Amino acid sequence: MNTPTRFDFHPPQYAKRAARDRRLRVLRNAGALVVVVLLLTGAWVGAAWWLSGCSAGMWRGVDDECVGVSDGSASLHHGLRDVEEKIERENDRIAGLDRKVVTVAVLTPVPEPGGDRGSVSLDQARSKIIGAYLAQRQANSVEGAYPLFRLVVADEGSDEQDWEEVVDELIGMTDDERPLVAVTGMGVSVGETISAAHRLADHQIPMVGAVLTADGLNMTGAVRPEDGPIRGLYRVSPSNRTEALALHEFLVKRPREYMLVRDQNFNDFYTTGLRDDFAEVFSAELAAGVQRSFDGTPGINGTTNQFNEIVAELCSPGTPDTVLYAGRASLLDAFVEKLRVEHCGKTITVVTGSDAAKLNETELPGHVEVVYAALADPKALGDARFNEYAEDYKVNFDGFRQLERIGSRDLANGWAIMEFDAMTAVVDAAQKALLNETEIGPAEVRTALVSLTSERNDIDGAGDRFHFDADTGDPVGRTIHIIHQVGLESRPVHKYTS
């Protein structure tokens, strides 16, 4: 979900294309003799991926990134290798058992190795994949588990730019011996995700989004109404509007003056939705109309200068001390850095949405505090004051995580927990589908997901229990925790149930 955290010089596109063409010419020339030998010896198998420079089964996408679908055997990023090896071992283990096996994909952007741009950070991509793996392992570890679940990771490019080819690859897997029955993850709340969801829906493949919070990014398709509904799209994350309501319920206890700082990247439905929801939910507090904008569109320069102007105004006499920040957390780092340098002579409170969970390792300056709505905060989930299922979380999820030798750091941003819940919903549906069927595919799992729309069939998530709304596919019964961060310390301060 993240936009760049650095603001170094980036070469123009024509320079990037020229450099890429030079690399490809060298690769082709170096590989020409090898190709001839391969053809002469009949050993062509594997030559295509070798020449591309990508792992087996992957290919070069539109921006020269390696993309594709991996069962753990391919390396998507060196920072994911330990997790990929765990997935590969589990997939190999169940392949040797004489039981029904089905495939579930986690569709996600993965940052380009060595790159500094992308819609998610490496930590976020890693956490999401870990969550899927933990759910796979837990489902397969139950005695007599049926079916068994094979996991694949579908890397659609750092900015989801290769979603179309990757989704088509997933569609082709529905007729495999171990058929693809559902897709989880589903990227982040951007236009490419919406297009991918429509393509999968057209082929009757059910989806459960992990961190999709944009308003209307569900079965209604209201996020982009001109494209129509997205049948079979569920999500385990509450919407932006629910986040805004939770924040307002906590903040209304103390009178404040607010400035709305909003991103104008119209392809990012997380930021545009948060902007509109803040404006509506905090309308009384924003009566003075103090609003400022910046353009956080990836590849657009000048964001730093825009933040300079906003911070200079914020530090002027008689201006608000609380900022409603409707933007990505990656750019929030830069905004906070400007506040660090400027030092307004007053404490500034920055209020924002769930993407800010990635700030957990950022030390805030002493005069800046952040209040945000968290989708799944480990501290809150393990605290009985904020979660009635705290003991279940500590034993069933956190304990299992430790057995699998997954570090607590990988839970900090909440993405592993959210993806675990998305995968668990698919597991529940697939198991229900097989109660009355001998063979299942996407259609049967999609039908079974409908049964998870009543409280009687609540899903036992990592930290709470929930079900889906039958009309929208949104979660019902989930708790949002409000987190207050000062310096490096963050703590839960409020809970709100959707």
Side-chain angles (χ1 to χ4, degrees), residues 97-341:
L97 302 176
D98 187 22
R99 276 185 268 172
K100 176 69 177 176
V101 176
V102 297
T103 299
V104 180
V106 52
L107 177 63
T108 183
V110 174
E112 182 181 14
D116 62 353
R117 305 190 73 85
S119 58
V120 303
S121 68
L122 175 59
D123 282 348
Q124 288 172 322
R126 176 182 170 84
S127 293
K128 188 187 289 188
I129 295 167
I130 283 173
Y133 165 74
L134 286 172
Q136 177 201 26
R137 275 286 292 157
Q138 191 170 87
N140 290 344
S141 298
V142 175
E143 186 176 354
Y146 189 76
L148 295 170
F149 294 89
R150 173 175 175 261
L151 178 64
V152 297
V153 181
D155 176 4
E156 54 187 333
S158 59
D159 281 312
E160 302 188 29
Q161 70 275 8
D162 290 291
W163 70 267
E164 193 166 5
E165 280 188 279
V166 173
V167 166
D168 283 347
E169 181 82 0
L170 293 176
I171 292 168
M173 293 169 59
T174 58
D175 293 324
D176 290 354
E177 181 182 354
R178 296 166 293 182
L180 178 85
V181 297
V183 177
T184 65
M186 292 304 298
V188 293
S189 300
V190 295
E192 290 78 3
T193 293
I194 300 168
S195 298
H198 276 287
R199 176 72 65 87
L200 290 166
D202 288 345
H203 290 268
Q204 313 296 308
I205 299 174
M207 301 152 275
V208 182
V211 293
L212 304 182
T213 61
D215 298 327
L217 185 41
N218 53 22
M219 282 199 285
T220 69
V223 64
R224 204 162 68 187
E226 63 272 20
D227 292 345
I230 312 173
R231 301 302 182 197
L233 174 60
Y234 296 82
R235 60 179 174 180
V236 298
S237 52
S239 66
N240 283 351
R241 178 171 176 78
T242 307
E243 292 184 16
L245 290 169
L247 287 163
H248 186 267
E249 183 177 270
F250 171 68
L251 294 165
V252 75
K253 299 172 185 176
R254 180 171 81 84
R256 297 169 181 261
E257 293 182 352
Y258 294 86
M259 173 189 286
L260 176 58
V261 176
R262 56 189 189 177
D263 190 350
Q264 289 185 319
N265 175 10
F266 293 107
N267 189 51
D268 190 334
F269 293 89
Y270 166 81
T271 59
T272 56
L274 198 57
R275 174 199 67 195
D276 294 343
D277 292 324
F278 275 160
E280 181 181 344
V281 173
F282 287 84
S283 58
E285 292 82 0
L286 286 166
V290 184
Q291 301 185 24
R292 296 296 176 264
S293 300
F294 65 94
D295 191 344
T297 304
I300 297 295
N301 296 319
T303 306
T304 302
N305 290 334
Q306 294 171 61
F307 282 161
N308 284 337
E309 296 176 7
I310 294 170
V311 170
E313 181 174 352
L314 189 64
C315 292
S316 301
T319 53
D321 62 357
T322 303
V323 173
L324 296 172
Y325 177 81
R328 288 289 178 184
S330 54
L331 292 177
L332 180 55
D333 282 333
F335 184 66
V336 168
E337 186 58 32
K338 292 301 172 186
L339 288 170
R340 185 195 306 273
V341 172

Side-chain angles (χ1 to χ4, degrees), residues 7-55:
F7 297 90
D8 299 337
F9 169 74
H10 294 282
Q13 290 298 318
Y14 70 82
K16 290 184 178 180
R17 286 194 297 270
R20 182 182 65 194
D21 290 345
R22 284 195 297 273
R23 290 197 303 271
L24 291 175
R25 282 198 298 273
V26 170
L27 184 62
R28 282 194 294 267
N29 292 337
L33 181 59
V34 176
V35 173
V36 171
V37 173
L38 288 167
L39 287 171
L40 290 174
T41 61
W44 175 249
V45 177
W49 68 261
W50 185 89
L51 289 174
S52 75
C54 300
S55 296

Side-chain angles (χ1 to χ4, degrees), residues 384-404:
R385 295 172 300 172
F386 296 96
N387 180 21
E388 64 178 303
Y389 303 109
E391 286 305 311
D392 291 343
Y393 168 78
K394 287 187 281 190
V395 174
N396 297 333
F397 179 78
D398 202 43
F400 185 74
R401 179 268 304 173
Q402 294 176 53
L403 286 174
E404 289 295 320

